[in-house]
Amino acid sequence: MDPRTDNMAFILENEQFFKTSYQEPHDGLASVPIRVRPSWQDVKVDKLKTDYSAPATHVNKTQDLQRSSATENGLNDRQCSEEWVLHHGIDTWHLSIQDLLKLGNIVMKPSKNASKQIELPAESVNEFEQKIQEAIDYFHQRIQWLMEGSRKMFGIIPGKNVGLLIDSSHLNCGPRRMDFLRGLLCLVDEQLCYKEKVFLMSFGTDVSFPWGYPKDINMQVLHEARQWIQEMQPRGGCNLLLALRKALQIQDLDSLVIIVSNSPDQTSDVLSDYLLQCTLGKNLKIHIVAFDSFGQTDLQLLADAVGSRFHCFSSWKEDEIYASTDIKLVFREVQKAIDILNKIKELRQGKLDDTCISIIQKISSEVAKIPTSAFLPKPPNHTAPLDIDIPNFSPRTSTEWLKKNGLRAKKMTLYQILAPNAYSTLEEFVPILQKTVSSTLLERAMMQFEWHDGTVKNIHVDPPVLYEYQKQLAKLARTYQKRIDWLTKGSRRLWGTICEKRVVLLVDLSLENAMHIIHIQHSLRLLLEEQMANKDLFNIIAFGSDIHFWKEGMVPTTSENLQSAWKWVLTLECEGSRNTLGAIKRAVECNFIDKENQESQGMYLFTSGIPDQDANAVHTYLSEAASGCDLQLHACLLTISEDNDRSDTACVLQDLAHVTNGRFHWFDDQDVIESDDITCLVSEMEKAVNYSKKCAYLVESLKSRTGNKDEIQPLADVPVVSYQKEKQKPKKLPLPKPTALTLARMVCNMSLI
């Protein structure tokens, strides 16, 4: 998990859970992103300035007028965010707290120890606050514009004479390659067409370019660029260092854009040292783009080391885009504006630091009633109706899932595999010899191995069988990894899996969560859209000091009820303390009245801290409420603050969930921290790794016993077929004469076992 900067922290708390739709397979193992893209259309470039004085008579003309107006207002300037903020930031618009204080008058009271006071007209404060709110809306529009088209995929391309280095490694093969090429074509038509010169280069194991020097932009050059991009083929690895050596020799470039979709072959330290040395004294802007890259962390470290711009685009995790330079700088202005609104609240209370503030007129009741959530940034379409997805399967907890897909269920434990060739050590007392005789071990065919119950057994080691077993373990481990990936997508990352058919959601809306209300609402939106449509009954209870419920009791999960629940969620506000026990009592007593006769019932507690009540009191009530019925409480811990250690809170909520055999789920604004569903899958994978190591130990021990290292090769290097070819059929021995065995001969035979 990559840490966010301090200026990003507040915004990411409220805006990083943007929805991505997933198509879930029948077995619930994996989820494939569905990205709906418009059909490709070439954009015609016309640099001539058009006269828009005539009235608009067509839809396209109206859109052109709107776009032109937005450009004149500075919203859609093709400037980088560094330049854009200089012209449209809080300081440029004179909206700082110092600018507000300049509107007041300093007054000194005629007393001995009088303090300095500032009188501010209420109209001035209200007008200034309105300008701040308009600035926040303006910044949000800029962010939405940055998250459209090629700007979302590659950011704003700086400079006039641009060198474009494109990763053409083998990672871009398959369906991924078509999306990548479409994005590059969009980049040419939306941004490169406004540049003066362009130089293109693709790099894999080696490099390729259509021209050996930068060319002036015209329609012919743009056509050649499109044609070259469409014909670009995968070229092996990702040798970024070679591409930089070639590109930095090109003259007349004022910016270098590096688009990478793979982890570079070289380390970030090597690349940063080379870039710093080669760009020393040059006015060359570097813009690094991590396009669906698995090496995003390395690329961001490289960008930080050389002081370049950075952009991140991920089709499977959209919140990664907030690490991009263009969006981060605008978010910083939003943070400044929100801080100023908080300072204005201090003004209304009468003090700002050590200076007393006196507002002449009373603030109107209408302004005072505006909720805090009205000033918080919201995801796109936050208040729009739900886009409900009906799951085509019933999810299960990982514990239930492993009962069918675990190692023991698949008969894939090491002891189940070795059991047919495992023999216990024999030890008996022979009366005629007057001593105890033990069986001995044939070292070339068998070896001793500790069994799961602590006993020692003689094992016949069959390398081909163990080799095939290791392959099956690897295949099964990949299945577990797919399920873990599925559990960390969409609403499952926030709530875990909703497995019961009758569900009550308990949502913590204490005053501590006031700055995260949009985040909580969006989490509920994802859950209602993705996991609730196939349930039988549901209800929502919000709690602070008081308990608020959507319905008196549970109702069917129809589309109308889900939309109604979402409208109710949008009206919620945070207040008071955290009356968790009261919310649980309300859920049990009003929603699970006939719980003894019902199955598959669950309460999901979505909270950011421990209950106000004593933990033992909550445990006692839950134990009594869940006794004799199928009712579980599942705890979902939301952690956004990076400064506080929440391990104690996690322990309390984990114990609370385990009282009713429920599950515990803990996540932050970036990833899942702890989850019972994921923990049991990881434990199963660790068992598979342990069994594989024991297989390797058995084979190595057999090699050391035989004394001939050429006879048995390592498992990973020898296929199953080779073992089958080397095995020879044993020679048939003549049958013995039918003679009666004496007791001594029986003891002798037993000693040879």
PDB file of all heavy atoms in Angstrom, residues 96-111:
ATOM      1  N   SER A  96      -7.880  33.690   0.818  1.00  0.00           N
ATOM      2  CA  SER A  96      -7.266  33.161   2.025  1.00  0.00           C
ATOM      3  C   SER A  96      -7.914  33.787   3.255  1.00  0.00           C
ATOM      4  O   SER A  96      -8.650  34.775   3.161  1.00  0.00           O
ATOM      5  CB  SER A  96      -5.760  33.419   2.019  1.00  0.00           C
ATOM      6  OG  SER A  96      -5.511  34.813   2.087  1.00  0.00           O
ATOM      7  N   ILE A  97      -7.618  33.242   4.433  1.00  0.00           N
ATOM      8  CA  ILE A  97      -8.197  33.772   5.663  1.00  0.00           C
ATOM      9  C   ILE A  97      -7.672  35.177   5.942  1.00  0.00           C
ATOM     10  O   ILE A  97      -8.373  36.022   6.530  1.00  0.00           O
ATOM     11  CB  ILE A  97      -7.901  32.802   6.836  1.00  0.00           C
ATOM     12  CG1 ILE A  97      -8.791  33.133   8.030  1.00  0.00           C
ATOM     13  CG2 ILE A  97      -6.431  32.838   7.209  1.00  0.00           C
ATOM     14  CD1 ILE A  97     -10.250  32.877   7.776  1.00  0.00           C
ATOM     15  N   GLN A  98      -6.459  35.478   5.501  1.00  0.00           N
ATOM     16  CA  GLN A  98      -5.923  36.835   5.663  1.00  0.00           C
ATOM     17  C   GLN A  98      -6.729  37.843   4.839  1.00  0.00           C
ATOM     18  O   GLN A  98      -6.966  38.978   5.276  1.00  0.00           O
ATOM     19  CB  GLN A  98      -4.444  36.879   5.253  1.00  0.00           C
ATOM     20  CG  GLN A  98      -3.498  36.152   6.195  1.00  0.00           C
ATOM     21  CD  GLN A  98      -3.503  34.651   5.979  1.00  0.00           C
ATOM     22  OE1 GLN A  98      -4.094  34.165   5.012  1.00  0.00           O
ATOM     23  NE2 GLN A  98      -2.842  33.932   6.875  1.00  0.00           N
ATOM     24  N   ASP A  99      -7.162  37.401   3.635  1.00  0.00           N
ATOM     25  CA  ASP A  99      -7.978  38.293   2.803  1.00  0.00           C
ATOM     26  C   ASP A  99      -9.324  38.567   3.456  1.00  0.00           C
ATOM     27  O   ASP A  99      -9.879  39.673   3.320  1.00  0.00           O
ATOM     28  CB  ASP A  99      -8.182  37.667   1.424  1.00  0.00           C
ATOM     29  CG  ASP A  99      -6.890  37.530   0.652  1.00  0.00           C
ATOM     30  OD1 ASP A  99      -6.076  38.475   0.677  1.00  0.00           O
ATOM     31  OD2 ASP A  99      -6.679  36.470   0.031  1.00  0.00           O
ATOM     32  N   LEU A 100      -9.866  37.565   4.176  1.00  0.00           N
ATOM     33  CA  LEU A 100     -11.130  37.783   4.880  1.00  0.00           C
ATOM     34  C   LEU A 100     -10.967  38.780   6.021  1.00  0.00           C
ATOM     35  O   LEU A 100     -11.801  39.679   6.215  1.00  0.00           O
ATOM     36  CB  LEU A 100     -11.656  36.448   5.420  1.00  0.00           C
ATOM     37  CG  LEU A 100     -12.901  36.521   6.305  1.00  0.00           C
ATOM     38  CD1 LEU A 100     -14.072  37.135   5.548  1.00  0.00           C
ATOM     39  CD2 LEU A 100     -13.270  35.138   6.831  1.00  0.00           C
ATOM     40  N   LEU A 101      -9.886  38.650   6.772  1.00  0.00           N
ATOM     41  CA  LEU A 101      -9.675  39.547   7.905  1.00  0.00           C
ATOM     42  C   LEU A 101      -9.451  40.987   7.454  1.00  0.00           C
ATOM     43  O   LEU A 101      -9.726  41.939   8.209  1.00  0.00           O
ATOM     44  CB  LEU A 101      -8.482  39.066   8.739  1.00  0.00           C
ATOM     45  CG  LEU A 101      -8.652  37.700   9.424  1.00  0.00           C
ATOM     46  CD1 LEU A 101      -7.394  37.333  10.194  1.00  0.00           C
ATOM     47  CD2 LEU A 101      -9.863  37.707  10.342  1.00  0.00           C
ATOM     48  N   LYS A 102      -8.958  41.178   6.239  1.00  0.00           N
ATOM     49  CA  LYS A 102      -8.762  42.536   5.730  1.00  0.00           C
ATOM     50  C   LYS A 102     -10.082  43.268   5.518  1.00  0.00           C
ATOM     51  O   LYS A 102     -10.110  44.502   5.416  1.00  0.00           O
ATOM     52  CB  LYS A 102      -7.986  42.490   4.415  1.00  0.00           C
ATOM     53  CG  LYS A 102      -6.530  42.069   4.566  1.00  0.00           C
ATOM     54  CD  LYS A 102      -5.846  41.988   3.214  1.00  0.00           C
ATOM     55  CE  LYS A 102      -4.399  41.522   3.368  1.00  0.00           C
ATOM     56  NZ  LYS A 102      -3.722  41.393   2.043  1.00  0.00           N
ATOM     57  N   LEU A 103     -11.188  42.501   5.437  1.00  0.00           N
ATOM     58  CA  LEU A 103     -12.496  43.117   5.239  1.00  0.00           C
ATOM     59  C   LEU A 103     -13.059  43.711   6.527  1.00  0.00           C
ATOM     60  O   LEU A 103     -14.077  44.407   6.505  1.00  0.00           O
ATOM     61  CB  LEU A 103     -13.489  42.078   4.684  1.00  0.00           C
ATOM     62  CG  LEU A 103     -13.110  41.417   3.362  1.00  0.00           C
ATOM     63  CD1 LEU A 103     -14.145  40.365   2.982  1.00  0.00           C
ATOM     64  CD2 LEU A 103     -12.988  42.458   2.256  1.00  0.00           C
ATOM     65  N   GLY A 104     -12.430  43.396   7.678  1.00  0.00           N
ATOM     66  CA  GLY A 104     -12.939  43.875   8.960  1.00  0.00           C
ATOM     67  C   GLY A 104     -12.231  45.121   9.437  1.00  0.00           C
ATOM     68  O   GLY A 104     -11.274  45.618   8.831  1.00  0.00           O
ATOM     69  N   ASN A 105     -12.716  45.614  10.564  1.00  0.00           N
ATOM     70  CA  ASN A 105     -12.159  46.810  11.191  1.00  0.00           C
ATOM     71  C   ASN A 105     -11.608  46.441  12.566  1.00  0.00           C
ATOM     72  O   ASN A 105     -12.268  45.752  13.352  1.00  0.00           O
ATOM     73  CB  ASN A 105     -13.232  47.892  11.347  1.00  0.00           C
ATOM     74  CG  ASN A 105     -13.776  48.345  10.007  1.00  0.00           C
ATOM     75  OD1 ASN A 105     -13.017  48.510   9.047  1.00  0.00           O
ATOM     76  ND2 ASN A 105     -15.088  48.542   9.938  1.00  0.00           N
ATOM     77  N   ILE A 106     -10.398  46.915  12.881  1.00  0.00           N
ATOM     78  CA  ILE A 106      -9.781  46.655  14.177  1.00  0.00           C
ATOM     79  C   ILE A 106     -10.315  47.663  15.191  1.00  0.00           C
ATOM     80  O   ILE A 106     -10.310  48.877  14.945  1.00  0.00           O
ATOM     81  CB  ILE A 106      -8.252  46.744  14.089  1.00  0.00           C
ATOM     82  CG1 ILE A 106      -7.718  45.699  13.094  1.00  0.00           C
ATOM     83  CG2 ILE A 106      -7.619  46.541  15.463  1.00  0.00           C
ATOM     84  CD1 ILE A 106      -6.226  45.752  12.897  1.00  0.00           C
ATOM     85  N   VAL A 107     -10.785  47.103  16.319  1.00  0.00           N
ATOM     86  CA  VAL A 107     -11.384  47.943  17.354  1.00  0.00           C
ATOM     87  C   VAL A 107     -10.680  47.662  18.670  1.00  0.00           C
ATOM     88  O   VAL A 107     -10.460  46.501  19.036  1.00  0.00           O
ATOM     89  CB  VAL A 107     -12.904  47.674  17.486  1.00  0.00           C
ATOM     90  CG1 VAL A 107     -13.498  48.509  18.612  1.00  0.00           C
ATOM     91  CG2 VAL A 107     -13.592  47.972  16.176  1.00  0.00           C
ATOM     92  N   MET A 108     -10.338  48.708  19.432  1.00  0.00           N
ATOM     93  CA  MET A 108      -9.739  48.590  20.755  1.00  0.00           C
ATOM     94  C   MET A 108     -10.702  49.151  21.786  1.00  0.00           C
ATOM     95  O   MET A 108     -11.135  50.297  21.705  1.00  0.00           O
ATOM     96  CB  MET A 108      -8.414  49.354  20.821  1.00  0.00           C
ATOM     97  CG  MET A 108      -7.324  48.806  19.908  1.00  0.00           C
ATOM     98  SD  MET A 108      -6.763  47.162  20.382  1.00  0.00           S
ATOM     99  CE  MET A 108      -5.982  47.546  21.948  1.00  0.00           C
ATOM    100  N   LYS A 109     -11.065  48.321  22.762  1.00  0.00           N
ATOM    101  CA  LYS A 109     -11.961  48.768  23.828  1.00  0.00           C
ATOM    102  C   LYS A 109     -11.178  49.604  24.842  1.00  0.00           C
ATOM    103  O   LYS A 109     -10.024  49.318  25.151  1.00  0.00           O
ATOM    104  CB  LYS A 109     -12.607  47.570  24.514  1.00  0.00           C
ATOM    105  CG  LYS A 109     -13.616  46.861  23.635  1.00  0.00           C
ATOM    106  CD  LYS A 109     -14.348  45.772  24.407  1.00  0.00           C
ATOM    107  CE  LYS A 109     -15.412  45.123  23.530  1.00  0.00           C
ATOM    108  NZ  LYS A 109     -16.146  44.071  24.266  1.00  0.00           N
ATOM    109  N   PRO A 110     -11.830  50.625  25.420  1.00  0.00           N
ATOM    110  CA  PRO A 110     -11.140  51.505  26.386  1.00  0.00           C
ATOM    111  C   PRO A 110     -11.003  50.867  27.764  1.00  0.00           C
ATOM    112  O   PRO A 110     -11.681  51.236  28.703  1.00  0.00           O
ATOM    113  CB  PRO A 110     -12.065  52.726  26.431  1.00  0.00           C
ATOM    114  CG  PRO A 110     -13.415  52.185  26.105  1.00  0.00           C
ATOM    115  CD  PRO A 110     -13.190  51.086  25.112  1.00  0.00           C
ATOM    116  N   SER A 111     -10.161  49.869  27.871  1.00  0.00           N
ATOM    117  CA  SER A 111      -9.905  49.233  29.165  1.00  0.00           C
ATOM    118  C   SER A 111      -8.415  49.010  29.307  1.00  0.00           C
ATOM    119  O   SER A 111      -7.662  49.073  28.334  1.00  0.00           O
ATOM    120  CB  SER A 111     -10.663  47.906  29.291  1.00  0.00           C
ATOM    121  OG  SER A 111     -10.256  47.013  28.277  1.00  0.00           O
TER     122      SER A 111
END
